[in-house]
Amino acid sequence: MALVGCGGFIGSHLLSAILERTQWRVFGVDLDSYRIQEHLSNDRFEFVCADLSEPSVVKRIAQYPVVVNLAAICTPSRYMAEAATVIRSNYDHPARLADACAKSGSWLIHFSTSEIYGKTSAESGLLDEDSTEITLGPVPASRWSYATAKLLTERYLFALENLCWTVVRPFNFVGPYMDFMPGVDGEGIPRVLANFSTALVRGETMKLVNGGLAKRSFTSVHDAVDFMFCLFRNGDQGIGQAFNIGNPDNELTIAELAGKMRSIYAGIKGVGVETVPQPVAVSGEEYYGKGYEDSLRRMPSVAKAERLLGFKAATPLEVVLKESLSWFVDHYQIAAE
Ligand code: UDP
């Protein structure tokens, strides 16, 4: 199979699981390989350092019967600062890959995002793959550049004749290797878990955007990998479908998340929680820049993945937060000092 974005957060976990649990050969493509160094010498893994802007690479990928595309720019601060690049990465590139897969007959498993549900309100109920109405903010609110491009890609896959496709919509996947520590191995503002972890490790205050009232339901990346194996096993049920992958049992506000991470961090360091700085509120535009808007609640309906593929995410929030934060502390402690 071909794994595009094999060096990213989700891709690196999926690659490790495929090489460990199966005898499959993997053709991996990414611009970055630091998370997958241990696999570069595996003779069942071929790695090419490239992205989907190179037609010869797209052609090679589409020779594989199964293609998983995880490549994307998904750093929130870039949605405003580099909207055109974000749109190219999240629409032009995957559309080109979809064209090639339609021609070759490959099954394209495309990673989209829960962000396509757009500007949800605090009262939004379960987000259903096939019936929920979608509202993206006004054009000057460039927070929605990423979601708009991802949604257009989904519509393109849906519309393309002869393409065998499945769409995956991740709901706030978290785990080891998520995003980066700003100034160490990446620039800009990563997603909330990496941001809060960075603040804790550096002894700085966690920032609650607009008071941290927005809600998210966080999903372990290990559950996401298990979903992929359910999909590989039951391909006939998954083709032509979009799936939410999330864990509705793990919903909380961002302010509650900061509170939990503060006490988990104090536990890891063996210090009193009062010694860890309290979070502070900031406005969204002050923090991310002009054009920032938010989704206030993002709660997945997960019935379809359970019904068609027999999949249900199982990892409780406390477990995944402890694992992620312990990993972050070990991995970045020296860099932070
Ligand atoms: N957020 C926050 N502080 C941060 C980073 C993010 O309060 O340092 C908020 C953000 O405004 C949003 C939520 O946390 O309400 C989740 O943001 P993230 O960037 O992780 O991704 P999203 O779920 O919005 O795609």
Side-chain angles (χ1 to χ4, degrees):
M1 76 156 54
L3 194 51
V4 185
C6 63
F9 162 50
I10 306 169
S12 59
H13 285 278
L14 183 57
L15 176 66
S16 297
I18 290 172
L19 293 175
E20 271 163 36
R21 298 186 202 175
T22 76
Q23 288 304 312
W24 303 343
R25 299 192 160 274
V26 180
F27 175 60
V29 177
D30 208 307
L31 289 172
D32 189 0
S33 62
Y34 101 90
R35 294 179 178 91
I36 54 170
Q37 287 298 311
E38 64 185 298
H39 301 307
L40 295 178
S41 58
N42 187 319
D43 57 12
R44 286 191 289 121
F45 178 52
E46 183 185 354
F47 177 70
V48 170
C49 180
D51 69 11
L52 296 174
S53 61
E54 291 181 39
S56 61
V57 173
V58 172
K59 212 167 152 191
R60 270 199 76 187
I61 295 166
Q63 287 167 0
Y64 289 81
V66 180
V67 174
V68 179
N69 183 16
L70 286 143
I73 293 180
C74 48
T75 302
S77 56
R78 296 180 70 183
Y79 306 166
M80 278 75 65
E82 300 168 61
T85 309
V86 167
I87 291 167
R88 272 193 292 277
S89 146
N90 287 295
Y91 175 67
D92 289 8
H93 294 181
R96 245 177 260 164
L97 181 61
D99 287 336
C101 290
K103 212 163 149 194
S104 66
S106 306
W107 174 23
L108 175 62
I109 303 171
H110 175 75
F111 270 70
S112 183
T113 171
S114 54
E115 178 111 355
I116 62 111
Y117 291 106
K119 202 174 167 179
T120 52
S121 71
E123 291 75 39
S124 300
L126 291 182
L127 300 169
D128 178 80
E129 289 96 335
D130 301 311
S131 63
T132 294
E133 298 286 340
I134 294 170
T135 304
L136 298 170
V139 173
S142 41
R143 152 71 190 254
W144 307 110
S145 59
Y146 172 69
T148 304
K150 284 283 201 190
L151 184 60
L152 184 57
T153 298
E154 284 202 29
R155 290 195 183 282
Y156 189 67
L157 303 193
F158 192 89
L160 208 54
E161 279 172 26
N162 302 326
L163 179 69
C164 180
W165 60 271
T166 301
V167 160
V168 182
R169 297 180 185 155
F171 279 69
N172 294 80
F173 289 179
V174 289
Y177 279 117
M178 189 199 167
D179 288 355
F180 53 88
M181 181 183 249
V184 175
D185 54 357
E187 295 305 329
I189 303 176
R191 282 163 295 180
V192 66
L193 199 95
N195 239 353
F196 284 178
S197 304
T198 297
L200 289 165
V201 167
R202 288 186 168 148
E204 294 168 356
T205 50
M206 292 178 276
K207 304 289 190 301
L208 301 177
V209 171
N210 299 328
L213 300 177
K215 288 182 176 170
R216 296 290 186 272
S217 46
F218 292 90
T219 312
S220 164
V221 72
H222 306 303
D223 284 328
V225 167
D226 289 343
F227 165 82
M228 290 302 285
F229 279 88
C230 287
L231 180 61
F232 295 145
R233 275 196 298 274
N234 301 290
D236 50 335
Q237 294 292 310
I239 286 169
Q241 299 287 348
F243 291 100
N244 290 338
I245 302 306
N247 191 335
D249 296 338
N250 287 349
E251 186 184 62
L252 77 179
T253 66
I254 298 303
E256 287 165 345
L257 175 73
K260 276 192 190 294
M261 290 184 67
R262 195 167 165 249
S263 45
I264 293 172
Y265 184 74
I268 291 171
K269 301 302 280 182
V271 298
V273 73
E274 68 291 346
T275 64
V276 181
Q278 293 266 16
V280 294
V282 291
S283 86
E285 290 220 345
E286 181 192 327
Y287 194 56
Y288 286 109
K290 207 168 152 26
Y292 183 76
E293 291 188 340
D294 206 355
S295 305
L296 294 183
R297 185 173 192 224
R298 228 183 248 166
M299 179 62 138
S301 160
V302 292
K304 183 153 77 161
E306 193 169 1
R307 181 167 43 86
L308 295 183
L309 305 175
F311 170 79
K312 199 170 190 310
T315 312
L317 187 65
E318 291 287 335
V319 172
V320 65
L321 290 184
K322 269 189 194 141
E323 181 199 16
S324 307
L325 194 48
S326 304
W327 175 85
F328 200 95
V329 169
D330 284 352
H331 191 77
Y332 289 108
Q333 193 70 64
I334 294 165
E337 281 162 2

